[in-house]
Amino acid sequence: FVSPYIRTVQTFELIKKGRTIDPVSVLAFNYTGVTHYLSGRFSEAVTNFSESVRMHPLSIRQYDHLAKAYLVQNQFAEVVETINSALQLTTTRPPSTLAYLSVGYHHLGGLSKAKKLLQDLIERSLRQEKGINIYLAQYYSILNEKEEAFHWLEKAMETNDVDLFWLKADPLFKNLHADSRYQQYLSKAGFIKG
């Protein structure tokens, strides 16, 4: 058994070695920030991803990561600002980006904007677009609407959404942790033995 703390320390040591080779690599920023985020070091994640966005402004994924780090700290104005900055740079509309923006608008009182974005995601899911359902589950988890979160989590399992990979570790699912159904989904996804 290796404690999560030791694994985190080992991860940071490997990242540090990688950053000595290429200190401005977008991957180095990505791995550093994600490790901070998954370790609960959200302000460090924000610092890292903010620097990454500054150095790699066309890497849309970095904006997504930054928005997530803001979301778990309830910094909704920053979520909206970050995502809107990203959307000005691209014509693509990643489902994660729209889900996070919708949560931001919801908490800031922009309910019609939030609803429109949410409806867009639901329609894309109904058209069988891949990778949508897990973000709908995140959306409802963040809002603590558990029934809807579990409904979309079931859909994500059915469509085998690639980002189910983060189900056990992502803090955006923390509102589901105490529910016995969450453990069932972790087992179904293969994270724990049933």
Side-chain angles (χ1 to χ4, degrees), residues 99-140:
Y100 306 150
L101 182 58
S102 185
V103 172
Y105 279 138
H106 178 91
H107 282 283
L108 295 174
L111 298 181
S112 63
K113 290 180 180 179
K115 186 176 180 180
K116 185 176 179 184
L117 291 164
L118 181 64
Q119 191 57 44
D120 180 38
L121 287 174
I122 292 171
E123 288 172 8
R124 288 167 65 177
S125 172
L126 293 172
R127 291 193 303 266
Q128 310 295 315
E129 187 176 327
K130 297 282 186 190
I132 301 285
N133 299 322
I134 192 67
Y135 294 108
L136 286 162
Q138 276 187 347
Y139 171 87
Y140 285 110

Side-chain angles (χ1 to χ4, degrees), residues 28-187:
F29 278 109
N30 187 62
Y31 294 137
T32 303
V34 168
T35 303
H36 281 305
Y37 172 77
L38 295 175
S39 301
R41 300 173 181 173
F42 303 126
S43 28
E44 289 96 332
V46 164
T47 299
N48 180 84
F49 288 126
S50 295
E51 180 69 5
S52 183
V53 163
R54 188 182 70 75
M55 296 194 68
H56 305 281
L58 299 180
S59 177
I60 303 305
R61 189 71 175 152
Q62 301 305 299
Y63 292 85
D64 249 19
H65 287 315
L66 179 57
K68 283 175 70 165
Y70 282 133
L71 267 179
V72 295
Q73 298 181 91
N74 299 322
Q75 294 178 271
F76 303 112
E78 289 82 354
V79 170
V80 169
E81 181 182 346
T82 299
I83 295 299
N84 279 329
S85 294
L87 291 175
Q88 290 175 13
L89 300 172
T90 181
T91 57
T92 62
R93 296 175 60 82
S96 52
T97 303
L98 299 187
Y100 306 150
L101 182 58
S102 185
V103 172
Y105 279 138
H106 178 91
H107 282 283
L108 295 174
L111 298 181
S112 63
K113 290 180 180 179
K115 186 176 180 180
K116 185 176 179 184
L117 291 164
L118 181 64
Q119 191 57 44
D120 180 38
L121 287 174
I122 292 171
E123 288 172 8
R124 288 167 65 177
S125 172
L126 293 172
R127 291 193 303 266
Q128 310 295 315
E129 187 176 327
K130 297 282 186 190
I132 301 285
N133 299 322
I134 192 67
Y135 294 108
L136 286 162
Q138 276 187 347
Y139 171 87
Y140 285 110
S141 173
I142 298 163
L143 296 182
N144 206 24
E145 295 183 23
K146 292 180 185 175
E147 295 308 315
E148 283 294 321
F150 283 115
H151 166 78
W152 289 104
L153 199 50
E154 182 65 36
K155 295 276 187 194
M157 294 280 183
E158 291 170 8
T159 55
N160 198 26
D161 283 13
V162 68
D163 281 332
L164 277 167
F165 180 81
W166 299 107
L167 179 62
K168 185 175 181 183
D170 197 320
L172 294 181
F173 287 112
K174 71 179 178 185
N175 287 332
L176 305 183
H177 289 184
D179 193 300
S180 62
R181 290 173 291 181
Y182 177 72
Q183 298 302 316
Q184 293 168 6
Y185 281 107
L186 288 180
S187 177

